[in-house]
Amino acid sequence: NIVSFPQPSTFVNGQQTATSPRQVLNVGTAVGLSSGVKIKGHQNNSDYVYVGDSTVTATNGYPLGPSEEIFLEIDQIGSVYIFASPSGTACYIAS
């Protein structure tokens, strides 16, 4: 029985340039999440941005092409890493 579903009261958003080596999404800010994070490849990217854990590379990451997106149901944004070679931008919104 689901009695209620708590709604998030805040959110974070931004754009981050992904490069080699991989980096934490929303680097420098420890943010706990209630819902998760939506990540989108910026529409002006010329190649893929890869999403994954701390080992993400172009061979094992989830590829996001320009304007492609993914939603991750996760409780810590600091668990998500991005990678691009040579570079690309990931857009995100999380709550």
Side-chain angles (χ1 to χ4, degrees):
N1 259 344
I2 297 175
V3 177
S4 68
F5 183 76
Q7 296 297 310
S9 59
T10 61
F11 68 92
V12 295
N13 64 285
Q15 297 182 12
Q16 184 170 332
T17 299
T19 58
S20 175
R22 72 197 61 80
Q23 54 194 221
V24 175
L25 187 64
N26 194 31
V27 68
T29 306
V31 177
L33 305 176
S34 300
S35 178
V37 60
K38 181 177 278 193
I39 306 165
K40 182 176 182 176
H42 194 279
Q43 70 269 15
N44 293 336
N45 286 347
S46 60
D47 208 346
Y48 292 101
V49 172
Y50 298 89
V51 178
D53 64 12
S54 63
T55 66
V56 68
T57 65
T59 56
N60 68 4
Y62 186 88
L64 290 178
S67 297
E68 293 181 337
E69 59 187 51
I70 185 172
F71 178 79
L72 298 174
E73 195 167 330
I74 194 165
D75 63 356
Q76 290 292 324
I77 198 167
S79 299
V80 181
Y81 286 74
I82 55 176
F83 171 87
S85 181
S87 68
T89 300
C91 307
Y92 62 91
I93 188 163
S95 62

